[in-house]
């Protein structure tokens, strides 16, 4: 089948303004991903096209993009999902994720995103000595289940850069940082919930969330992001984890 | 071009997967360390590992590290060095506990301990039955290891140089002085001047057409070392994982079979019963991959095509549990809970719901058993006489200790990278304590900068992807699951032509500096070509069948002549000199390998 793909291009070495590149590819298969199509553009038509990608099956988080107006990973979005059933051509539009500075074509500066991530102390804190028998700490299956969903985050930024509250103010820590705070706040082994709650309870924390659910829709790992944010809000409101 | 910026550290670690970050945590306790990675650390391919990390914790049933060691040696087809395997399996228990202490969210069993599952080739040595040894976090164990190590690196303020690609090693005689890297964002060259260098850059599955490996797995670290005179050990042993998603190569973890999944051919038969009567679908990967090939060759693929079915539907699994006299039964909910990512992959890419329908699978290029030779302290070896190159280290898939020999057991890659990543870090810290920072040679980046200029400005007519396709096709056709002399000779010939074409005719569209991934992909192809050539040269010389190296013309293992490791050293004329080193045996005498 034919794919008509429009890609938002930007290369500050060549020109100051962004532009739309339009490409037509023949012999695409319905099971091709958007990443496959972008690779064909880059390899066969224009090698200057810049994008990040690595694993190509949705676990490394490199290739979050805005595809036909919604965030997803290019490698997990099959082109057949973007066209009408039985159609022999598909129109695709690809842009960089919104809210982070664009550096070249589909590549954005991830540093503001990573800074928010780092602000929630995204690491295990427990200064108690480990068990004297030299074995693992114990955790019940029920306690483990409480934060299972938020351990799936791959830091692709699809959620944060789909959030209108984040677009409105980049100081908002954003859904991904809250998801990672949640992962530790609700881990029964961790002892620093209070410090993290102080960070995400701040003016630029969870209260900026207006439960729009864009983040949940955008998450390629199917994390219930809005629910996780709500659980953090409840913990802040009740003081109970 | 501007002079490269010089950075000075005690140690630089190239690669930010499990091995690199584990090393950084340990070396960083006393040394000033930089971790350089062409990806953001959390994009590393450790994160794609699914089923589990092997360690004889004995949380569910009796197990001991010696059984793990025997299984590893048997899995390796007796090519692993048994002293190194002992280190792997003993240290495994401590490092898994250590990962838990770092916060890794393992699945739990009822008593609150780490959950374990069955995996290919892991057995109770007395009963020969599969044993619960693979410690796991659902089917995203590698993801959790990568995240946990990255989190701990942030906690310990490790210096990361993200999206810097290392392109050369600065070696002066038998010393190292650092590495040369490109800052991908602006194309500038940087020299990292250091006492110690460690490569932890992973594998090179992209030499083949169908692979589970990321696009970024282009063997940079191995190729750089090879070009700087380091031999490559056991390159002929490359693992084809039996269950890649048909055509795509995306990995379907062996954990699926660990949870009871079975392989079914076009006649509806559970064919592994014929090839491995005692552990069936949980035989070693090389054995299962060959079985699938043979079934397909005999016309027993699904609808006569070149794939088989992997069936984990509760109906099928419970049927075989009952038949095998197992008490266990599984439900759809159990599969969803234990294998959520697998379910997601097959639903996304195949439209197949694994709790209702079988998955089409075929062998996929997966793991390099061979690589940069090291000892058990992750120090790089210069030759088959075990001479160490002081200050140079390697660990993880890029290294060859050798604990995997001719075929790696599932779960042992994760074990390998934390065990030997840690040992590298400890040893590097000691080395940096006593070693002097040796001066840089004059213009250490000159040669590699010239090579990049050459690629950038070459007026050829061959794009990277066309040459890469040619390499992947010949390697897949001629140096994969089954091998024979004439085909390998053809691959060698093809690869020589591809190398010549690459040198003469490569061309890139992007002449710019910022995020010039066109140029970097072209350079990476050069790495893959060199590694493919080393693989074919090592393979054709080994006139026996062992583990992943299965030859139609030499179908038997030959312990009299080939209980040896291959060392392939790249010569200035582009050929390889092959030398050999005897395998270190131990408790386990080589015997026929039956599963």
């Amino acid at each position: 089948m034919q794919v008509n793909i429009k890609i938002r291009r930007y290369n500050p070495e060549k020109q100051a303004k962004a532009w739309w590149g339009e490409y037509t590819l023949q012999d695409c298969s319905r099971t091709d991903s958007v990443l496959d199509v972008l690779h064909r553009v880059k390899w066969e038509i224009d090698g200057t096209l810049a994008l990040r990608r690595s694993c190509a099956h949705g676990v490394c988080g490199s290739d979050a993009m805005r595809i036909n107006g919604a965030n997803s990973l290019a490698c997990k979005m099959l082109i057949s999902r973007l066209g009408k059933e039985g159609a022999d051509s598909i129109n695709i539009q690809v842009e960089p994720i919104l809210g982070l500075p664009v550096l070249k074509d589909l590549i954005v500066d991830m540093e503001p995103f990573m800074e928010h991530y780092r602000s929630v102390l995204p690491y295990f804190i427990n200064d108690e000595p480990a068990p004297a028998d030299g074995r693992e700490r114990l955790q019940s299956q029920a306690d483990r289940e409480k934060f299972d969903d938020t351990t799936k985050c791959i830091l692709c930024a699809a959620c944060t850069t789909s959030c209108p509250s984040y677009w409105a103010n980049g100081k908002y820590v954003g859904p991904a940082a809250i998801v990672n705070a949640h992962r530790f706040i609700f881990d029964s082994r961790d002892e620093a919930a209070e410090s993290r709650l102080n960070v995400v309870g701040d003016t630029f924390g969870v209260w900026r969330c207006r439960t729009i659910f864009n983040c949940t829709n955008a998450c390629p790992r199917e994390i219930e992001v809005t629910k996780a944010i709500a659980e953090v809000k409840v913990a802040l409101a009740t003081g109970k984890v | 071009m501007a002079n490269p910026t010089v950075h000075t550290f005690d140690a630089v670690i190239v690669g930010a997967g499990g091995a690199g970050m584990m090393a950084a945590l340990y070396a960083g306790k006393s040394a000033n360390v930089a971790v350089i990675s062409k990806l953001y650390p959390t994009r590393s391919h450790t994160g794609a590992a699914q089923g589990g990390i092997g360690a004889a914790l004995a949380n569910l049933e009796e197990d001991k590290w010696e059984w793990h060691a025997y299984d590893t040696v048997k899995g390796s087809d007796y090519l692993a060095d048994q002293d190194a395997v002992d280190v792997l399996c003993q240290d495994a228990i401590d490092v898994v506990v250590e990962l838990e202490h770092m916060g890794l969210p393992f699945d739990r069993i009822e008593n609150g301990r780490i959950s374990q599952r069955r995996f290919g080739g892991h057995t109770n040595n007395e009963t020969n039955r599969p044993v619960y040894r693979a410690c796991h976090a659902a089917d995203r164990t590698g993801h959790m290891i990568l995240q946990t190590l990255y989190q701990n690196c942030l906690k310990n303020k490790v210096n990361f140089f993200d999206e810097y690609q290392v392109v050369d090693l600065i070696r002066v005689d038998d010393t190292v002085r650092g590495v040369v890297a490109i800052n991908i964002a602006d194309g500038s060259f940087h020299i990292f001047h250091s006492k110690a260098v460690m490569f932890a850059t992973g594998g090179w599955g992209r030499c083949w057409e169908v692979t589970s490996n990321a696009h970024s797995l282009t063997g940079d670290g191995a190729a750089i070392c090879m070009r700087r005179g380091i031999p490559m050990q056991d390159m002929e042993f490359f693992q084809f994982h039996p269950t890649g998603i048909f055509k795509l190569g995306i990995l379907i973890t062996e954990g699926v079979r660990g949870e009871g999944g079975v392989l079914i051919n076009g006649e509806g038969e559970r064919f592994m019963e014929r090839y491995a009567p005692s552990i069936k679908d949980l035989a070693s990967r090389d054995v299962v991959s060959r079985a699938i090939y043979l079934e397909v060759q005999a016309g027993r693929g699904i609808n006569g095509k070149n794939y088989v079915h992997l069936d984990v539907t509760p109906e099928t699994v419970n049927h075989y549990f009952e038949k095998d006299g197992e008490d266990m039964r599984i439900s759809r909910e159990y599969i969803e809970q234990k294998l959520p990512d697998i379910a997601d992959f097959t639903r996304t890419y195949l439209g197949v719901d694994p709790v209702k329908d079988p998955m089409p699978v075929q062998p996929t290029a997966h793991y390099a058993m061979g690589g940069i030779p090291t000892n058990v302290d992750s120090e790089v070896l210069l030759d088959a006489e075990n001479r160490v190159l002081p200050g140079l280290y390697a660990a993880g898939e890029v290294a060859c200790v050798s604990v995997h020999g001719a075929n790696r057991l599932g779960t042992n890659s994760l074990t390998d990278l934390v065990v030997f990543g840690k040992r590298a870090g400890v040893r590097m810290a000691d080395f940096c304590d006593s070693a002097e920072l040796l001066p840089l040679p004059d213009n250490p980046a000159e040669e590699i900068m010239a090579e990049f200029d050459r690629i950038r400005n070459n007026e050829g007519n061959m794009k990277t992807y066309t040459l890469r396709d040619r390499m992947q096709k010949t390697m897949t056709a001629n140096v994969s699951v089954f091998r024979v002399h004439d085909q390998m000779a053809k691959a060698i010939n093809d690869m020589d032509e591809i190398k010549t074409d690459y040198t003469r005719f490569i061309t890139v569209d992007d002449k710019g500096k910022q995020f010039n991934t066109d140029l970097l992909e072209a350079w990476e192809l050069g790495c893959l070509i060199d590694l493919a050539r080393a693989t074919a040269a090592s393979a054709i010389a080994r006139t026996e069948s062992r583990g992943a190296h299965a030859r139609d013309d030499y179908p038997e293992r030959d312990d009299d002549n080939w209980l040896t490791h291959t060392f392939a050293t790249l010569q200035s004329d582009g050929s390889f000199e092959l030398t050999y080193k005897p395998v270190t045996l131990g408790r386990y005498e080589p015997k026929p390998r039956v599963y």
Side-chain angles (χ1 to χ4, degrees):
Chain A
M1 65 166 34
Q2 178 175 313
V3 167
N4 309 307
I5 185 164
K6 250 175 96 174
I7 305 171
R8 192 67 175 162
R9 305 289 309 265
Y10 172 64
N11 183 352
E13 283 183 88
K14 285 203 169 152
Q15 63 180 78
K17 282 182 75 174
W19 53 285
W20 287 102
E22 298 190 24
Y23 312 88
T24 301
L25 292 164
Q26 306 298 336
D27 302 324
C28 293
S29 147
R30 297 189 66 78
T31 53
D32 285 345
S33 67
V34 172
L35 178 62
D36 292 328
V37 172
L38 290 170
H39 267 151
R40 280 191 60 191
V41 172
K42 180 175 177 63
W43 294 341
E44 297 170 21
I45 303 172
D46 181 0
T48 69
L49 175 66
L51 63 146
R52 293 189 176 105
R53 88 287 185 263
S54 186
C55 79
H57 65 284
V59 297
C60 81
S62 299
D63 60 351
M65 301 172 188
R66 191 168 159 87
I67 298 168
N68 287 4
N71 280 3
S72 59
L73 298 179
C75 63
K76 269 196 96 172
M77 179 56 72
L78 300 194
I79 61 172
S80 57
R81 289 172 58 197
L82 299 169
K84 291 202 177 78
E85 200 156 332
D88 53 10
S89 85
I90 289 178
N91 299 322
I92 304 173
Q93 178 175 305
V94 181
E95 302 158 81
I97 44 180
L98 296 179
L100 293 168
V102 180
L103 299 175
K104 184 178 174 185
D105 295 336
L106 300 168
I107 295 178
V108 299
D109 180 4
M110 293 292 286
E111 189 44 36
F113 172 82
M114 295 305 286
E115 200 178 326
H116 286 314
Y117 165 70
R118 289 191 298 264
S119 76
V120 303
L121 316 177
Y123 38 78
F124 185 68
I125 299 175
N126 181 337
D127 296 330
E128 294 292 310
D133 62 5
R135 299 181 67 182
E136 68 266 45
R137 289 190 169 89
L138 300 181
Q139 184 168 49
S140 73
Q141 290 175 327
D143 281 345
R144 170 65 180 76
E145 184 59 28
K146 282 181 191 158
F147 66 104
D148 185 67
D149 202 33
T150 47
T151 65
K152 295 191 295 200
C153 176
I154 55 176
L155 299 171
C156 68
C159 59
T160 296
T161 61
S162 72
C163 173
S165 296
Y166 181 74
W167 297 337
N169 192 332
K171 288 185 183 167
Y172 170 37
V173 293
I178 301 168
V179 160
N180 281 280
H182 178 284
R183 178 253 171 273
F184 290 102
I185 290 168
F186 292 93
D187 185 338
S188 60
R189 303 167 300 166
D190 185 273
E191 291 183 328
E194 203 176 321
S195 314
R196 293 192 190 89
L197 286 169
N198 283 337
V199 175
V200 296
D202 181 78
T203 336
F204 293 107
V206 289
W207 309 114
R208 296 253 157 187
C209 165
R210 298 291 194 270
T211 57
I212 297 160
F213 281 89
N214 275 13
C215 52
T216 303
N217 290 335
C219 179
R221 303 284 292 154
E222 293 174 7
I223 299 170
E224 293 182 276
V225 182
T226 312
K227 184 178 168 209
I229 296 173
E231 286 173 359
V232 174
K233 286 176 178 170
V234 169
L236 278 163
T238 62
K240 277 190 218 146
V241 170
Chain B
M1 188 173 270
N3 278 334
T5 310
V6 178
H7 311 258
T8 305
F9 289 92
D10 290 329
V12 295
I13 295 169
V14 187
M21 291 202 285
M22 193 72 182
L25 288 172
Y26 273 87
K29 288 181 186 213
S30 60
N32 185 18
V33 178
V35 179
I36 309 173
S37 170
K38 67 178 178 179
L39 306 172
Y40 274 90
T42 57
R43 316 295 185 219
S44 304
H45 210 56
T46 297
Q50 299 168 357
I53 174 168
L57 299 187
N59 282 353
L60 283 127
E61 58 177 328
E62 187 187 9
D63 196 8
K64 37 187 134 184
W65 73 261
E66 290 92 342
W67 290 356
H68 186 188
Y70 170 71
D71 292 338
T72 301
V73 169
K74 179 181 174 187
S76 82
D77 219 346
Y78 297 90
L79 193 77
D81 290 316
Q82 295 189 19
D83 52 344
V85 172
D86 281 358
V87 168
L88 177 84
C89 300
Q90 278 179 286
D91 282 14
I93 297 167
D94 289 341
V95 292
V96 166
V97 170
E98 188 177 347
L99 288 171
E100 195 283 328
H101 292 169
M102 286 185 195
L104 199 148
F106 284 108
D107 285 5
R108 302 290 172 152
I109 51 177
E110 262 178 31
N111 66 10
R113 296 210 173 274
I114 294 170
S115 179
Q116 299 184 275
R117 62 160 58 109
R118 294 166 169 175
F119 236 80
H122 292 277
T123 65
N124 173 316
N125 288 182
E126 280 157 20
T127 63
N128 290 325
R129 304 277 292 178
V131 71
Y132 290 89
R133 187 180 290 149
C135 312
H136 61 269
D139 53 357
R140 54 176 184 279
T141 312
H143 164 78
M144 293 321 328
I145 290 177
L146 189 69
Q147 293 286 329
T148 301
L149 291 175
Y150 184 59
Q151 291 155 1
N152 278 272
C153 283
L154 291 179
K155 189 177 180 183
N156 288 286
K157 301 194 167 35
V158 169
N159 301 301
F160 282 106
F161 288 82
D162 297 336
E163 297 192 330
Y164 278 63
Q165 186 155 357
V166 168
V167 290
D168 204 1
L169 166 69
I170 307 170
R171 175 181 174 188
V172 178
D173 302 324
D174 285 348
T175 64
V176 297
R177 310 286 168 97
V179 296
V180 183
I182 294 176
N183 177 359
I184 297 173
D186 65 10
S188 59
F189 280 81
H190 292 248
I191 290 167
F192 290 82
H193 183 199
S194 62
K195 299 174 182 176
V197 171
M198 172 182 175
F199 284 96
T201 52
W204 43 92
R206 288 277 154 185
C207 287
W208 287 269
E209 213 170 1
V210 174
T211 177
S212 63
N213 284 199
H215 287 283
S216 50
L217 284 172
T218 51
D220 306 7
I224 288 167
C225 286
M226 185 161 65
R227 292 165 184 171
R228 290 292 169 199
I230 311 294
M232 291 291 117
Q233 183 177 338
D234 293 340
M235 290 295 282
E236 61 271 44
F237 300 104
F238 198 93
Q239 180 168 79
F240 287 76
H241 190 294
T243 58
I245 292 182
F246 180 49
K247 286 187 188 168
L248 298 175
I250 297 168
L251 189 69
I252 300 292
T253 174
E254 208 164 290
V256 168
R257 285 169 284 141
E259 299 293 355
V262 290
L263 290 161
I264 304 286
N265 65 18
E267 294 174 359
E269 180 203 12
R270 184 191 188 187
F271 57 90
M272 282 311 299
E273 287 178 330
R274 274 187 281 119
Y275 294 90
S278 71
I279 58 174
K280 300 169 188 164
D281 300 88
L282 286 173
S284 275
R285 289 176 178 174
D286 59 330
V287 175
V288 182
S289 283
R290 280 196 291 277
I292 294 174
Y293 256 68
L294 291 171
E295 290 302 297
V296 165
Q297 226 166 45
R300 292 192 293 270
I302 304 297
N303 300 324
K305 292 194 182 147
N306 61 335
Y307 67 92
V308 296
H309 274 151
L310 174 58
D311 193 338
V312 73
T313 59
E315 298 72 33
T316 305
V317 171
N318 291 336
H319 166 74
Y320 285 107
F321 273 155
E322 193 172 348
K323 208 175 152 204
D324 291 347
E326 296 260 5
D327 295 335
M328 174 138 180
R329 297 289 179 272
I330 63 166
S331 63
R332 287 185 180 183
E333 294 69 35
Y334 178 85
I335 296 297
E336 297 277 1
Q337 191 197 347
K338 285 293 186 183
L339 303 164
D341 282 3
I342 294 304
D344 181 35
F345 295 153
T346 59
R347 285 170 188 148
T348 300
Y349 295 107
L350 295 167
V352 167
D353 188 342
V355 302
K356 294 182 190 150
D357 293 300
M359 304 168 253
V361 295
Q362 69 179 165
T364 181
H366 184 55
Y367 187 88
M369 270 74 73
I372 303 169
T374 71
N375 60 24
V376 294
D377 290 310
S378 308
E379 296 169 313
V380 171
L381 305 178
L382 275 168
D383 55 34
E385 274 72 54
N386 298 328
R387 197 158 58 92
V388 165
L389 176 48
L392 188 61
Y393 301 81
E397 188 176 347
V398 74
C400 180
V401 186
S402 159
V403 289
H404 309 306
N407 171 65
R408 176 174 68 74
L409 283 197
T411 77
N412 273 354
S413 61
L414 292 176
T415 314
D416 175 0
L417 59 83
V418 283
V419 165
F420 292 103
K422 176 176 171 177
R423 293 176 79 91
V426 169
R427 185 49 68 105
M428 261 193 297
D430 285 350
F431 178 83
C432 291
D433 263 354
S434 57
E436 295 288 315
L437 182 70
L438 300 171
L440 285 172
D442 291 339
N443 304 320
E446 195 175 28
E447 198 180 326
I448 192 68
M449 286 168 79
E451 171 64 4
F452 271 87
D453 274 346
R454 191 193 71 73
I455 300 172
R456 189 199 304 267
N457 300 319
N458 196 40
E459 303 209 343
N461 58 0
M462 292 188 187
K463 287 193 171 190
T464 300
Y465 81 98
T466 58
L467 289 163
R468 190 170 51 214
D469 277 359
R470 281 167 58 191
M471 170 190 68
Q472 290 172 341
K473 287 209 159 66
T474 190
M475 291 299 285
T476 302
N478 302 309
V479 194
S480 68
V481 173
F482 281 105
R483 300 163 177 190
V484 63
H485 178 275
D486 291 352
Q487 288 188 338
M488 287 187 281
K490 178 170 184 338
I492 288 171
N493 206 26
D494 289 349
M495 287 309 305
D496 285 347
E497 276 176 25
I498 293 164
K499 169 97 181 169
T500 306
D501 286 349
Y502 174 79
T503 310
R504 292 174 61 187
F505 303 123
I506 186 81
T507 182
V508 297
D509 293 339
D510 196 340
K511 311 291 182 189
K513 293 192 169 64
Q514 299 181 12
F515 289 100
N516 190 341
T517 51
D518 195 20
L519 179 63
L520 288 165
E521 265 190 57
W523 178 79
E524 287 171 339
L525 173 63
C527 294
L528 287 171
I529 290 172
D530 283 355
L531 293 164
R533 293 181 69 250
T535 303
S538 303
I540 200 166
R542 184 176 282 269
T543 50
E544 65 157 353
S545 288
R546 185 185 297 273
H549 179 65
R551 291 187 62 150
D552 287 334
D553 46 358
Y554 295 92
E556 300 300 322
R557 198 174 78 195
D558 178 359
D559 289 335
D560 292 336
N561 295 302
W562 287 106
L563 217 46
T564 57
H565 297 292
T566 306
F567 277 56
T569 310
L570 182 62
Q571 307 295 298
S572 53
D573 66 356
S575 67
F576 290 91
E577 182 194 63
L578 301 179
T579 52
Y580 295 93
K581 167 177 133 174
V583 171
T584 305
L585 295 173
R587 286 187 300 282
Y588 311 114
E589 278 299 309
K591 58 182 181 189
R593 187 160 159 256
V594 183
Y595 282 103

